[in-house]
Amino acid sequence: MMIYKKVERGVELKIDEFSLRKTFECGQCFRWCEVSENVFKGVAKGKFLTLLNEGDKIIFKDVSIPEFENIWIDYFDLTTDYIDIKNQLLKIHPVLSEAVKFSSGIRILRQDRWEALCSFIISQNNNIPRIMNIISELCKSFGERISENSFSFPSARKISKLDENNLSVLRAGFRTKYILDAARKIAEGKIDLKSISSMTLHDARKTLMKICGVGPKVAECTLLYGFHRLDAFPIDVWMKRAMKTLLNGIDPCELGKYAGVAQQYIFYYSRMNKEFFCH
DNA sequence: GTCCAGGATCGGA
DNA sequence: TCCGATCATGGA
């Protein structure tokens, strides 16, 4: 159930299952941050946005109703019923209940395909603060200015015209050549992101992995976060540990069409309870 | 100084 | 097919 209305400060939203903090800090995105208690800012869809969490309400600051309806309902996946998803997951495997309860409020953002691909190429063998720094520098150096101090994510076409020397400001290390390979294959049309949308999960994976620097994990993250394939199931070291503890002997395939959402609940749960999972 | 980070690639068994 | 070393970089 979603209710929204225009108020002085922007658009006020009331909806179930939407925690800004959990959604932004669960590891799916790298361009949002909490600037003060329950105030978040970030860039998405080529726009700068400030969000406030006040009780059970969320304020989209300085946003009009048309902008909210045309852009942010989609980006924040507000028409998807996460209560229903949770119920379906718990019906399949009740052992998930603790993780689902802990992570309740996460929504899988509908991020830009190229941004998700590029971001998770950068994420490999890297830590989250540094991933955020590299992406921030990428946008500052090669994106377009969209407000006083924020920049859009540069297009694949723009990146494809650069070389390793240009990109050295990112300090991205060995990942630089991977970013370039991805940008060039997309700019040259060797890989068509739009057509990947309509492929089976298997073919989509295979196609993305033609890019040098894209393996199973990055492909899976790209599909889940950039293509909203909720059945994609990224497995990293954290998920391996968590699955051993929580889902011993369970095949991710058993989690069905919302396996990716389950993955996000489990991932966030294990990251926020390191002492329990990390030993 | 050492270890690690939402991995992928490469070469050799 | 499988396994270990290696890949840049910066923070802990």
Side-chain angles (χ1 to χ4, degrees):
Chain A
M1 178 89 168
M2 166 170 55
I3 301 170
Y4 59 91
K5 64 180 178 189
K6 186 79 182 77
V7 294
E8 287 180 34
R9 290 180 292 168
V11 171
E12 179 185 295
L13 168 71
K14 288 176 88 168
I15 189 169
D16 294 318
E17 293 295 314
F18 190 17
S19 158
L20 293 178
R21 185 174 293 116
K22 291 183 194 177
T23 296
F24 293 142
E25 294 182 357
C26 72
Q28 64 175 322
C29 56
F30 304 102
R31 297 204 69 199
W32 292 91
C33 59
E34 187 167 12
V35 290
S36 62
E37 183 83 11
N38 288 317
V39 180
F40 299 82
K41 68 171 185 179
V43 178
K45 301 276 197 177
K47 289 181 178 296
F48 172 80
L49 178 63
T50 301
L51 292 163
L52 299 85
N53 213 338
E54 295 178 354
D56 62 343
K57 287 175 284 192
I58 290 172
I59 310 292
F60 288 67
K61 199 165 178 302
D62 301 328
V63 166
S64 66
I65 289 288
E67 178 183 334
F68 178 78
E69 291 179 338
N70 294 329
I71 296 175
W72 303 118
I73 287 180
D74 174 73
Y75 180 75
F76 289 103
D77 200 25
L78 298 180
T79 56
T80 298
D81 183 355
Y82 280 80
I83 292 180
D84 178 53
I85 292 178
K86 282 166 54 174
N87 288 337
Q88 291 199 42
L89 288 172
L90 291 175
K91 204 188 298 176
I92 299 172
H93 279 299
V95 299
L96 291 173
S97 64
E98 201 177 333
V100 169
K101 194 171 168 186
F102 183 88
S103 303
S104 179
I106 291 176
R107 284 178 174 270
I108 306 295
L109 301 170
R110 292 180 183 266
Q111 300 183 63
D112 176 75
R113 297 180 290 227
W114 159 247
E115 179 174 338
L117 170 61
C118 190
S119 296
F120 281 90
I121 285 174
I122 291 168
S123 80
Q124 70 179 257
N125 198 24
N126 212 342
N127 57 62
I128 290 177
R130 208 166 83 89
I131 296 166
M132 295 177 82
N133 284 336
I134 292 171
I135 292 173
S136 170
E137 188 60 44
L138 177 70
C139 296
K140 202 187 296 178
S141 298
F142 307 109
E144 288 178 23
R145 186 183 289 277
I146 56 177
S147 75
E148 193 178 341
N149 199 23
S150 64
F151 300 83
S152 66
F153 198 92
S155 66
R157 179 190 299 268
K158 176 76 183 286
I159 302 290
S160 72
K161 292 171 181 162
L162 305 173
D163 58 27
E164 289 201 41
N165 202 19
N166 301 134
L167 289 172
S168 62
V169 292
L170 304 182
R171 313 293 293 159
F174 62 88
R175 305 165 192 85
T176 301
K177 54 183 179 294
Y178 300 159
I179 297 170
L180 280 173
D181 188 60
R184 287 172 183 163
K185 283 199 168 84
I186 286 161
E188 291 166 6
K190 287 180 181 170
I191 289 180
D192 178 23
L193 293 181
K194 192 179 281 182
S195 74
I196 291 177
S197 306
S198 54
M199 290 181 188
T200 64
L201 198 58
H202 173 80
D203 289 347
R205 265 183 209 128
K206 236 174 80 177
T207 305
L208 285 170
M209 286 170 63
K210 288 178 182 167
I211 298 165
C212 185
V214 176
K217 161 70 170 54
V218 172
E220 216 67 5
C221 286
T222 303
L223 289 167
L224 178 56
Y225 308 127
F227 291 80
H228 210 71
R229 291 291 184 96
L230 298 184
D231 50 346
F233 196 86
I235 299 176
D236 68 326
V237 286
W238 289 92
M239 282 304 294
K240 278 178 191 163
R241 281 196 290 256
M243 285 169 67
K244 215 168 182 178
T245 311
L246 297 177
L247 302 177
N248 201 7
I250 295 175
D251 185 331
C253 295
E254 296 174 27
L255 295 169
K257 60 180 179 177
Y258 297 125
V261 183
Q263 179 272 157
Q264 208 59 42
Y265 291 152
I266 296 166
F267 179 79
Y268 179 71
Y269 179 61
S270 65
R271 287 295 300 254
M272 300 300 278
N273 295 280
K274 293 181 184 175
E275 65 287 350
F276 182 62
F277 289 93
C278 212
H279 52 263

